[in-house]
Amino acid sequence: MDKPVIVTVDDDPGVSRAVARDLRRRYGQDYRIVRAEAASDGIEAVREMRLRGDEVAAILADYRMPQMNGVQFLEAAMDMYPYARRVLLTAYADTDAAIQAINVVDLDHYLLKPWDPPEEKFYPVIDGQLDAWLRTERIERSELRVVGDRWSAQSYAVRDFLARNHVPYQWMLAEDPEGAQLVKAAGEGCHLPLVVTVDGTTMESPDQATLATAVGLSTTPATDFYDLIVVGGGPAGLGAAVYGASEGLNTVLVEAHASGGQAGQSSRIENYLGFPDGVSGQQLADRARRQALKFGAELLAARKVTHLEPRGQARVVGFKDGGEIAAHAVILATGVTYRRLDAPGLDEFVGRGVFYGAALTEAPSCQDTEVYVVGAANSAGQAAVYLSGFASKVHLLVRSDGLERSMSHYLIEQIAAIPNIEVHVQTVVVGGGGSGHLERLTLSTKGEERTVDAQWMFVFIGAEPYTSWLGETIERDAKGFVLTGPDLVQGGKRPRNWPLRREPYFLETNVPGVLAAGDVRADSIKRVASAVGEGAMAVALVHRYLEKQ
């Protein structure tokens, strides 16, 4: 088989030769290096490779080129090689342009010139990009097709599940010509949403488990006993799975919906260590998921856990749809869900104009309309910024008298600089209505009510932990958050027989061998970085617990 190709394009002959020389020196044995000194020559070379069926692993393009800049070049090349890793070569003066390119072409990396010595500044970057390309599924295939109603909560649930699990699909309305043909082919009495797989198999209004199996997600455990069970696939759970598997523990992560949790729904996280240009929640979750799989962790999707029971030295987890698995230790990382608005007329429109969380699948449908975002924390601010790129206007509704107490400063500055975002302080939603979907909201500002036309509302108001399934096994506070460490002692509920120390450590629950990490834990910081750190720390404590057994 022909070698895969690394393409480099730079209009400066000296730089072009230097890039090609460094690439051949390190990668020439396994890759073919193709260089061009003009954007037009580079595009032509890429076209010819596409026609021949060559594989392109990475494309390096200089930002400043006269015919088209590096961002435009990479955008054109994406159409022909969507899986190639994209690297922008830039001078320090063009760093801002490189950062903006991340949103335009989903840039994988930007590299400052010069990069001497290459062993320190060049090769590690290219090594990482090529490794990511090798691990990417590059088989081009037709997409799933989903047919449904625009204002259907079930249709939204299917699309949201597929999107959050990184499954590509084509969405069409039942009244569209192609959608109508598929519905007719499915037969009389077809129940929407209709999902049509690549091989033509149809599923009518499928549940998550059926859908997960159909798209190739793992739903069945490989064994019935593990070293470690992680319940929940948010940042804390993914962090625990990565560290547990990388340190030799037979680890399984169980997730009821999709990896990433609430953070996975974030349009952009800009204050996470190691990502100075920001990263979307989906990208971060996908990278963490692939990292966990790389180390050998098992990931179960669409499996809802309903009980936890200590049985001797084993900790047993049971599923809603039947069956159970056991392990030496369990880490609870089930996270939280957004609290529902307590206002009449809204519950019936969930998934039909009212959305709890970012609901990124809906953003394109908000084009040129006014949307309402409820909340004052970072998640609400990130959603408002993202939606402002689609909506004609974004109304950010804040209960308090400002954003300073609950939102990061960088987000407040971004919101102030975006002209189509309007912040309404001391404003709450007191009602809603519509026929078939949300059509209006009743707002109260400083006690004065008004009704506004509204088809889209995204809610981010506090959090409720998913812990009711724990029953009496695990001690929790009045709000349902898991009590750990000093909180157990202060509440007068000392843990039973924890072997680590006389006083419990801050992630340990009242049951030996069961720990809690991330947002589900009482008094946790509620940040992505702290959740990941707690997941890693929990694994360290699991090791110590196992050593004492």
Side-chain angles (χ1 to χ4, degrees):
M1 182 178 294
D2 291 338
K3 295 178 181 178
V5 181
I6 300 175
V7 179
T8 172
V9 184
D10 197 306
D11 66 316
D12 184 323
V15 175
S16 179
R17 287 192 294 270
V19 175
R21 178 198 64 220
D22 287 345
L23 288 172
R24 289 192 181 97
R25 182 183 302 164
R26 175 86 164 216
Y27 309 106
Q29 185 173 349
D30 300 314
Y31 294 85
R32 181 161 58 94
I33 312 302
V34 173
R35 76 178 182 94
E37 294 181 3
S40 59
D41 294 340
I43 288 294
E44 188 60 29
V46 171
R47 286 191 182 124
E48 291 177 2
M49 285 183 280
R50 184 61 176 158
L51 291 173
R52 290 196 303 264
D54 294 337
E55 284 196 292
V56 173
I59 304 173
L60 290 68
D62 182 59
Y63 175 69
R64 292 188 178 232
M65 293 190 291
Q67 296 170 322
M68 62 171 67
N69 64 36
V71 175
Q72 295 168 330
F73 181 90
L74 291 172
E75 190 172 15
M78 280 176 63
D79 293 335
M80 292 174 278
Y81 283 102
Y83 301 109
R85 307 298 290 185
R86 297 173 286 279
V87 179
L88 191 67
L89 306 177
T90 180
Y92 183 80
D94 298 321
T95 301
D96 288 342
I99 293 174
Q100 293 173 5
I102 293 171
N103 296 321
V104 176
V105 294
D106 196 17
L107 192 69
D108 294 304
H109 203 92
Y110 70 85
L111 193 61
L112 292 177
K113 300 185 294 186
W115 49 73
D116 289 326
E119 289 76 13
E120 295 181 10
K121 299 181 179 180
F122 185 67
Y123 293 145
V125 171
I126 305 303
D127 285 347
Q129 299 306 317
L130 295 177
D131 179 66
W133 179 79
L134 288 169
R135 288 186 286 104
T136 299
E137 173 63 61
R138 300 186 299 279
I139 300 175
E140 297 186 10
R141 63 187 75 186
S142 301
E143 296 179 340
L144 284 173
R145 287 168 290 176
V146 180
V147 186
D149 295 321
R150 177 67 200 88
W151 297 111
S152 163
Q154 286 182 303
S155 295
Y156 163 69
V158 166
R159 292 185 292 124
D160 185 62
F161 178 80
L162 293 173
R164 291 180 62 189
N165 281 285
H166 314 281
V167 178
Y169 68 92
Q170 181 184 0
W171 161 246
M172 58 190 73
L173 297 174
E175 58 264 28
D176 291 342
E178 186 178 354
Q181 291 171 8
L182 290 172
V183 171
K184 184 176 181 180
E188 293 185 8
C190 175
H191 297 286
L192 299 179
L194 172 68
V195 179
V196 184
T197 66
V198 176
D199 62 7
T201 301
T202 60
M203 294 176 285
E204 298 179 19
S205 192
D207 58 30
Q208 284 193 359
T210 302
L211 193 57
T213 302
V215 299
L217 297 176
S218 177
T219 60
T220 305
T223 183
D224 57 4
F225 197 91
Y226 296 84
D227 294 324
L228 173 63
I229 298 172
V230 181
V231 185
L238 287 168
V242 168
Y243 279 90
S246 68
E247 295 175 9
L249 296 178
N250 184 14
T251 302
V252 61
L253 182 149
V254 184
E255 169 56 44
H257 302 292
S259 59
Q262 282 191 342
Q265 296 179 277
S266 175
S267 57
R268 196 145 207 89
I269 303 169
E270 298 193 59
N271 59 353
Y272 188 67
L273 184 68
F275 292 89
D277 313 317
V279 61
S280 75
Q282 281 195 344
Q283 288 174 322
L284 187 64
D286 184 52
R287 292 179 181 186
R289 180 187 62 82
R290 290 191 282 113
Q291 195 173 15
L293 291 171
K294 169 188 173 182
F295 287 120
E298 185 181 339
L299 273 57
L300 299 184
R303 297 299 299 271
K304 190 171 185 178
V305 174
T306 55
H307 69 268
L308 170 66
E309 178 186 351
R311 293 181 191 168
Q313 296 299 311
R315 304 292 175 257
V316 180
V317 166
F319 299 116
K320 179 181 180 180
D321 54 359
E324 59 185 28
I325 54 177
H328 294 297
V330 173
I331 295 176
L332 303 176
T334 50
V336 295
T337 58
Y338 288 111
R339 188 174 295 119
R340 293 293 184 99
L341 273 173
D342 184 18
L346 293 180
D347 284 348
E348 63 181 293
F349 299 126
V350 175
R352 297 187 293 164
V354 177
F355 303 94
Y356 288 88
L360 301 183
T361 56
E362 300 304 297
S365 299
C366 298
Q367 190 74 42
D368 299 327
T369 65
E370 296 192 15
V371 304
Y372 289 79
V373 177
V374 184
N378 279 6
S379 53
Q382 289 161 349
V385 171
Y386 181 72
L387 289 167
S388 69
F390 300 89
S392 60
K393 191 165 189 178
V394 176
H395 299 273
L396 182 58
L397 310 183
V398 180
R399 178 186 292 272
S400 66
D401 55 5
L403 299 171
E404 289 72 18
R405 287 184 296 177
S406 54
M407 190 178 292
S408 296
H409 181 67
Y410 80 90
L411 263 178
I412 296 175
E413 288 188 326
Q414 283 186 22
I415 289 170
I418 298 175
N420 64 330
I421 297 181
E422 182 178 351
V423 180
H424 304 265
V425 298
Q426 299 183 37
T427 299
V428 295
V429 179
V430 295
S435 177
H437 63 89
L438 181 69
E439 293 179 329
R440 58 189 174 274
L441 291 171
T442 302
L443 309 179
S444 175
T445 301
K446 300 179 181 178
E448 295 186 5
E449 293 189 3
R450 69 186 190 278
T451 299
V452 298
D453 293 334
Q455 289 187 323
W456 306 96
M457 180 173 68
F458 302 87
V459 184
F460 306 82
I461 54 165
E464 295 179 344
Y466 174 55
T467 57
S468 58
W469 61 277
L470 291 169
E472 301 297 322
T473 305
I474 301 296
E475 302 288 356
R476 305 186 299 282
D477 66 12
K479 295 181 178 179
F481 290 92
V482 175
L483 291 171
T484 59
D487 291 331
L488 284 165
V489 176
Q490 292 168 8
K493 300 174 180 178
R494 292 178 179 271
R496 300 183 293 272
N497 302 321
W498 254 106
L500 302 186
R501 55 187 71 199
R502 292 181 179 176
E503 297 297 338
Y505 201 63
F506 79 109
L507 300 180
E508 299 160 5
T509 72
N510 59 295
V511 176
V514 179
L515 301 96
D519 291 359
V520 74
R521 191 177 65 80
D523 294 327
S524 62
I525 301 299
K526 308 297 188 288
R527 285 288 188 269
V528 176
S530 61
V532 173
E534 288 191 9
M537 177 65 77
V539 171
L541 296 178
V542 166
H543 279 294
R544 294 175 57 185
Y545 169 76
L546 295 177
E547 290 172 359
K548 299 291 184 178
Q549 299 308 298

